[in-house]
Amino acid sequence: MPDQSFLIVRGFVPVLMKRWFASLVNRAVAFVILVIVLSALAVALISSVVSRSELEAQARVQVATIADLVASDLDTRLAQRRDTLSHVAEGLAMEERVLTSRARLLIRREIALQHLFDAIYLFDADGNVIAEHPERYQQAGLNISEREYFRQTSSQLAPVISAPYVSNYQDRPAIMVTAPIFDHRQRFIGVIGGALMLAGDNFMEEVSTVRIGKTGYIGIATRSGVTLAHGRTGETMTPLRLENPVLRDAMGGFEGTLRTSNQEGTETIMSVRQMSQVPWFVAAVWPAQEAYAPVSRLTDSFVQVLLIVILVVAPLALIVFRRLMAPLRNLGFQISERHLAIRTEPVEVAGGSEIRQVAETFNTVMEERDEVLASLAEREAFFRSLTQSAPIGIIQTDVLGRIEFVNPAFEQIVGIDSNDLLHSRLIDGVYEDDLPGAVDKWRAALRNNAVFRGRFRLKTPEDRPLVWADVMTAVIGTEERTLGTITVIRDITHELEIEAELAEEQERADSILGVLQEGVLMLDVDGFIRYANDAACGFLGLPEGCEQANFFERAAIESDNQRWQPDDFLRSADVDSLYATMRDNQGRVFDVDLAMLHLHRGSDHHQLILVIRDDSERRREEERLSWEATHDSLTGLLNRRAFNSSLVKCLGDASTKAVASVLMLIDLDYFKPVNDEGGHLMGDDLLRRLSDLLRISVRQSDTVARLGGDEFGIILPACGLERAAELAETIRRGVESIRIEQDGKSFGVTASIGLTEMSEADSGPREVMARADEGSYAAKARGRNRVVTVSPPPRHWPD
C-alpha cells in the first residue's frame, strides 16, 4: 500500500506542475523569480570579479603612488640638504688657518644646517674633526680619514651622500652628507658634513611610520642589501632578507608593482621605486587580505538581501498578476461574441494600458474597415494638392524607377517640363560623374527597405549650370508588395557655395591664428576650450591639441598675488592688458600679458576670448635694467646711487635707533701699482676678492657698496661705534692678507678706513660722508693700513 501511494504522488506532481505552469500568471511569477535569481547571481558574480579586479587595481595604484611620493620626498629632502651644505661650503672660502681658528664660531652660526641635520661637523684636510654641533657628541679631535664618505669627498672634490654606517656616537646608525671646502685659490682645505641618524627624530623616522590602510607599511633599503627603515618591524642597519624575489630584483634596479608574499607567507601587494639621489629603493607593502576585504563583506550582504527580496516579491507578484490579467479574460469573451455577430456594440475598454490598447485597437479596426476605400481616394487627392504647392521637389516612381509624377518645384530645379520627365527613369537624371556611387547606394537602401540619403549633381539643359541636390528616397508599399518610391529633392547649390566660402574664410583665419606667437583661446562659461591655436596649446602643455580640455583646470592665472577664480573671469570687464603669472598643471610657470574679451555676455551663448602673450623676456629685461641701475657690474655690490639712497633712509631712522648707526668708508692703499704692474685684469680680480671679503664680513642687514675705483662704503645700522671699530679692524686685516701671485711677484693692497657715527644732528648724507672721508684721509696721512674714527660734532641744545 505505501508503494502504491508513492507512485500516485509521483505521477501526480508533474501533472500539478504542468497545470500550474499553464497559467500565464504563474508563468509570469516564475519568470520574475527566475529573472531576479539569475540577475542577482550574474550581478554577484560579475560584481565579485570586477570588484576584486578594481580593488586590486586601486590597491596597486595606491601602493605605487605612496612609494612614488615617499621616494620623491626622500630624494627632495636629501638633495635639499646636499645643496644647502654645498652652498654653505662655498661661503667658507678662506685661508686654511682662518678656517681652523674660527671653526667653532662658523659651525655655531649655521643655524639652517642645525635644523636640517642631527649633527654638523667641520673636518680639516687630514680628516680631523675641528668643530661640531652639538658638542655633546664629543667627536672633536677624532680622525675620520678612513671613513668612506671622507675619502670620496676629498678625492672627488664634490658633495657626497654617504652609504649608511655605524657612527662613533653610541654606535648609532647614520648617513653623512658632505661637501668639500676650498680657499680663495680653489685649494682643498677641509670638509663640512651633516649627519642624519637613521633612528633619530627626523624625516627618516617619519617615513618609517607611514601606514597604508591599517597594516600596510613602508620599507627603505640600499641596493647593497642593507635595511634602512622597516615600518612593520622597526629594523635598522640589518641585512635585507632576500627570500622575496621582488626585493632581489629591486637590488638590481627593478621598479614596479607586483603581488608577492612576505617572509611570513602573507600575500601582499608590493610597489618598488628607486631613488635618484642615492642607491636606495623604497618598498610600499599592503597585505592583499586587507585590500580585498570590502568584496567579502559586499557578497555576504548581497546574499541576505536577495533572500529577503525573493520572499517578498514572489507572493506579491502572484497577487498583482492575477488582478492585472482578469480584464484580459473578459476581453477575450467579448471579442469572440463580436466575431460571431452575437455582439454588435464595441467591446468594453477596461484593465491595464496594454489591455485597453488591444480593446481600442479592435474597436478602431472594426470601425475603419468600412471607411478604407473612401479614405484612399481622399488621401490621393490630398497628396496631389500638397505636392503641387510644396517648395521642394517631389517625384513619384513605379517599381522600375520610372517617373509617374513630379511637382512644379522639381520642374523649376532642373529646368525641364514635367511632360518630358514622365515615364523616364529617375536615375537617368543624375550627372554621369556622380552616377556610379549614387546608383550603388540607392539600390542598397531600397533592397533593405531603408531611406536613401545622398548628395549629387542633376542634369540640366545645356544653357543652365548643373544643380547640386540633397536627395532622400523612400519605398512606397504594403507588407505584401512594393508600389514604387517617393523622392524628395532640395536644391543646395547656393548653400554649398556659401559653405565653400565660409570654409575658405575659416581656413584663412586658422592660418593667421596658427602662426601667431600669442595664444588665442575661446572658452565657454564652464571653462571648456572651444577653439585654440597651436601657441595656446603650447602654453597649456598640450602640443597635440587642447580643444575640449578645461582651461580652468589646466591653468592658473595669478595677478597681484591673487589667483583668478572662474567667477572672476566671468564677472570681470574686458581686459586689454593684464600682467600676470600663468601656471599649468605640469608645474611650468610663464610671465604673461593677458587680454580678455566677452562675447554674447548675459546670454546662453556667453563665451570668453583670451589672448596670452609670453611676457617673460620683457620682465627679465626690466629686472636686468633695475639690477644694473643699482649695482656695480664688476663686483656685484651696490653702486654709489643705491648706497646714497640707503644712507638717506638710515639717517631718517637714526632717531628711532637705541644704538647708533655707523658709516665706514674704505680707501685702498697702493692699488695703482697693482693696476700698472699686474694689469687691469689683476686689478679687477683683486677688487672682486675684496668684495667677497666684505660680503662675508658684514651682517645681512648691513649695506656694502663700491663707490668708485678703489673706494668702498659700508652702512652698519644700529651697530655701535665699538662693534664697528672691531669689524673695521677685521676687514683691514682681511684686506692685508689677500695676495695675488703673478710672474714670481706678489701683489696686494692695504686699506685706510674711516668710521663715523650717524646722529640726528646730521643735516644729510654729505655731512656724514665728509666725516668718514676725513677719517680715511687721516688714516692715509698716518701711514695707511689703519682705522681712524671721526666723532660727529656735538649737538647744540637751545638755551
Side-chain angles (χ1 to χ4, degrees):
M1 191 70 181
D3 294 338
Q4 293 180 353
S5 301
F6 174 75
L7 292 176
I8 293 174
V9 172
R10 183 178 179 183
F12 188 61
V13 169
V15 175
L16 287 178
M17 293 183 61
K18 185 175 181 179
R19 290 182 60 184
W20 192 84
F21 276 104
S23 169
L24 186 61
V25 172
N26 295 340
R27 290 183 185 181
V29 172
F31 178 75
V32 169
I33 299 302
L34 180 62
V35 168
I36 292 175
V37 172
L38 292 179
S39 300
L41 291 176
V43 170
L45 179 60
I46 295 172
S47 298
S48 177
V49 173
V50 172
S51 298
R52 187 178 182 88
S53 175
E54 185 68 23
L55 284 173
E56 181 174 352
Q58 292 178 1
R60 284 173 175 264
V61 171
Q62 184 174 350
V63 172
T65 301
I66 292 175
D68 278 335
L69 291 175
V70 171
S72 176
D73 181 64
L74 284 175
D75 275 330
T76 301
R77 295 194 184 201
L78 289 174
Q80 175 195 13
R81 283 158 173 77
R82 181 196 61 204
D83 295 343
T84 302
L85 206 64
S86 298
H87 179 71
V88 171
E90 292 175 0
L92 296 177
M94 59 185 69
E95 295 296 327
E96 185 174 7
R97 60 181 179 79
V98 177
L99 177 68
T100 303
S101 63
R102 300 181 61 190
R104 295 180 63 187
L105 175 62
L106 293 173
I107 283 293
R108 285 199 296 268
R109 287 174 54 185
E110 297 301 333
I111 304 301
L113 293 183
Q114 296 172 18
H115 289 291
L116 292 177
F117 294 93
D118 295 322
I120 53 177
Y121 302 95
L122 266 179
F123 312 104
D124 62 17
D126 297 323
N128 297 310
V129 180
I130 58 176
E132 65 174 332
H133 182 89
E135 296 181 352
R136 68 174 183 273
Y137 289 169
Q138 298 180 357
Q139 304 296 303
L142 293 179
N143 185 281
I144 51 84
S145 58
E146 296 302 317
R147 290 285 191 184
E148 182 63 24
Y149 59 80
F150 185 83
R151 292 203 302 269
Q152 288 183 357
T153 307
S154 59
S155 62
Q156 298 175 5
L157 299 181
V160 170
I161 300 176
S162 76
Y165 66 95
V166 178
S167 68
N168 294 325
Y169 178 69
Q170 298 179 356
D171 293 334
R172 295 174 63 182
I175 61 173
M176 180 72 74
V177 183
T178 59
I181 303 173
F182 305 94
D183 63 11
H184 292 298
R185 292 184 293 277
Q186 296 300 305
R187 185 171 60 86
F188 174 69
I189 61 172
V191 174
I192 183 169
L196 291 170
M197 301 299 178
L198 294 182
D201 185 14
N202 53 37
F203 66 93
M204 295 294 291
E205 179 71 17
E206 294 174 6
V207 170
S208 64
T209 60
V210 173
R211 286 290 176 267
I212 308 172
K214 294 182 179 179
T215 58
Y217 57 91
I218 296 293
I220 306 171
T222 67
R223 293 186 191 174
S224 59
V226 177
T227 300
L228 301 182
H230 198 295
R232 183 171 60 85
T233 64
E235 297 175 347
T236 302
M237 288 293 289
T238 59
L240 192 64
R241 295 183 176 91
L242 300 181
E243 296 85 354
N244 193 321
V246 178
L247 295 179
R248 291 199 299 271
D249 293 341
M251 292 175 60
F254 166 78
E255 277 191 329
T257 305
L258 297 173
R259 291 177 61 179
T260 183
S261 299
N262 62 13
Q263 60 199 35
E264 287 80 16
T266 303
E267 185 179 7
T268 62
I269 299 174
M270 178 181 292
S271 182
V272 175
R273 288 297 180 272
Q274 301 289 339
M275 294 178 59
S276 59
Q277 299 297 328
V278 287
W280 303 352
F281 62 87
V282 174
V285 183
W286 195 8
Q289 183 177 1
E290 181 182 347
Y292 302 149
V295 175
S296 301
R297 294 195 298 268
L298 180 62
T299 303
D300 296 341
S301 301
F302 189 83
V303 172
Q304 297 175 4
V305 171
L306 176 61
L307 293 176
I308 295 173
V309 169
I310 293 175
L311 293 176
V312 173
V313 169
L316 182 62
L318 185 62
I319 295 172
V320 170
F321 285 155
R322 288 188 182 278
R323 295 190 61 181
L324 291 176
M325 296 301 290
L328 184 61
R329 189 181 301 107
N330 185 33
L331 178 61
F333 293 145
Q334 296 184 40
I335 291 176
S336 178
E337 291 176 352
R338 183 72 185 271
H339 177 69
L340 297 174
I342 299 174
R343 184 186 183 94
T344 57
E345 65 274 11
V347 297
E348 296 179 358
V349 179
S353 60
E354 293 83 1
I355 299 176
R356 289 199 304 272
Q357 184 177 2
V358 171
E360 291 172 353
T361 301
F362 180 78
N363 289 332
T364 301
V365 169
M366 296 300 292
E367 291 173 0
E368 293 180 351
R369 184 174 56 182
D370 297 332
E371 301 176 0
V372 170
L373 295 177
S375 175
L376 289 175
E378 292 177 0
R379 290 181 182 181
E380 182 177 0
F382 174 75
F383 172 75
R384 297 285 181 177
S385 174
L386 179 62
T387 55
Q388 290 290 336
S389 58
I392 57 176
I394 300 176
I395 306 171
Q396 180 185 342
T397 69
D398 60 16
V399 291
L400 299 177
R402 294 174 298 194
I403 298 175
E404 293 183 338
F405 169 80
V406 297
N407 70 338
F410 181 73
E411 295 181 55
Q412 185 176 3
I413 290 173
V414 297
I416 304 175
D417 189 81
S418 61
N419 295 324
D420 298 328
L421 294 171
L422 292 177
H423 308 299
S424 64
R425 293 196 311 162
L426 174 61
I427 203 68
D428 292 338
V430 179
Y431 183 59
E432 290 81 357
D433 293 349
D434 300 342
L435 190 59
V439 169
D440 294 340
K441 294 180 181 178
W442 183 72
R443 288 176 177 171
L446 296 186
R447 278 197 304 268
N448 298 326
N449 200 24
V451 176
F452 165 76
R453 292 181 174 86
R455 285 185 174 186
F456 45 78
R457 289 168 288 184
L458 301 178
K459 295 178 181 178
T460 57
E462 295 182 358
D463 59 340
R464 295 185 57 175
L466 297 175
V467 174
W468 274 98
D470 188 359
V471 180
M472 183 173 65
T473 300
V475 175
I476 303 174
T478 64
E479 294 182 357
E480 292 79 12
R481 66 191 184 98
T482 300
L483 301 177
T485 65
I486 185 75
T487 300
V488 177
I489 295 177
R490 187 168 60 89
D491 185 357
I492 60 171
T493 305
H494 185 60
E495 292 180 12
L496 294 179
E497 292 174 353
I498 295 176
E499 287 179 3
E501 293 176 0
L502 291 176
E504 184 178 353
E505 291 296 329
Q506 180 68 39
E507 183 177 357
R508 185 181 297 109
D510 290 342
S511 299
I512 294 172
L513 292 175
V515 300
L516 289 178
Q517 297 298 319
E518 293 85 356
V520 180
L521 304 103
M522 178 183 291
L523 315 177
D524 61 19
V525 293
D526 296 320
F528 288 99
I529 300 173
R530 300 307 179 191
Y531 172 82
N533 65 353
D534 294 341
C537 294
F539 277 116
L540 298 178
L542 297 171
E544 301 301 326
C546 53
E547 292 190 6
Q548 302 306 319
N550 191 295
F551 177 79
F552 299 146
E553 295 175 358
R554 299 287 310 184
I557 300 294
E558 296 180 2
S559 177
D560 296 330
N561 296 323
Q562 290 187 348
R563 176 172 176 173
W564 279 50
Q565 301 300 323
D567 287 345
D568 297 331
F569 285 91
L570 299 176
R571 290 197 300 263
S572 67
D574 292 346
V575 176
D576 292 331
S577 180
L578 174 68
Y579 295 132
T581 299
M582 175 179 172
R583 185 188 307 274
D584 65 14
N585 61 358
Q586 298 177 1
R588 299 186 306 163
V589 179
F590 303 93
D591 292 324
V592 298
D593 184 2
L594 178 70
M596 182 175 66
L597 176 66
H598 292 267
L599 297 180
H600 311 298
R601 190 167 194 166
S603 69
D604 294 337
H605 304 289
H606 184 188
Q607 292 180 323
L608 293 174
I609 303 295
L610 300 182
V611 179
I612 304 172
R613 303 178 185 88
D614 191 343
D615 199 40
S616 304
E617 187 62 31
R618 184 190 64 80
R619 298 192 192 183
R620 283 195 294 269
E621 183 64 17
E622 286 184 354
E623 291 174 358
R624 185 184 66 80
L625 293 175
S626 176
W627 189 90
E628 290 179 351
T630 57
H631 289 75
D632 175 56
S633 59
L634 175 63
T635 63
L637 300 177
L638 292 179
N639 58 19
R640 179 179 289 274
R641 180 180 178 183
F643 184 81
N644 288 339
S645 298
S646 297
L647 183 57
V648 170
K649 183 177 183 301
C650 190
L651 285 170
D653 296 339
S655 60
T656 64
K657 303 293 185 182
V659 180
S661 300
V662 178
L663 173 63
M664 180 190 304
L665 288 184
I666 303 170
D667 196 352
L668 300 182
D669 306 323
Y670 312 113
F671 181 70
K672 188 174 186 303
V674 174
N675 263 342
D676 292 343
E677 297 179 28
H680 289 285
L681 292 180
M682 178 181 290
D684 291 346
D685 185 26
L686 180 61
L687 290 176
R688 283 190 288 267
R689 294 192 185 187
L690 290 173
S691 301
D692 293 339
L693 171 65
L694 297 180
R695 284 194 192 94
I696 65 174
S697 299
V698 301
R699 304 168 299 178
Q700 290 185 350
S701 59
D702 298 338
T703 301
V704 184
R706 182 187 179 197
L707 304 181
D710 57 354
E711 186 179 4
F712 296 84
I714 301 178
I715 300 174
L716 304 168
C719 177
L721 193 57
E722 183 178 351
R723 291 180 59 191
E726 293 176 358
L727 175 61
E729 282 294 333
T730 300
I731 292 173
R732 184 194 64 76
R733 291 192 299 270
V735 172
E736 186 180 16
S737 67
I738 295 176
R739 308 294 296 178
I740 298 178
E741 303 291 336
Q742 179 175 300
D743 298 332
K745 295 182 179 181
S746 178
F747 296 89
V749 295
T750 59
S752 295
I753 302 175
L755 289 178
T756 186
E757 286 186 345
M758 304 181 200
S759 69
E760 298 179 44
D762 289 322
S763 59
R766 290 186 179 180
E767 186 175 347
V768 182
M769 290 286 288
R771 288 202 306 272
D773 258 336
E774 181 183 344
S776 64
Y777 289 144
K780 285 184 179 294
R782 296 177 188 178
R784 296 183 173 86
N785 193 22
R786 64 187 66 245
V787 179
V788 175
T789 300
V790 178
S791 301
R795 182 171 180 178
H796 298 289
W797 295 92
D799 295 336

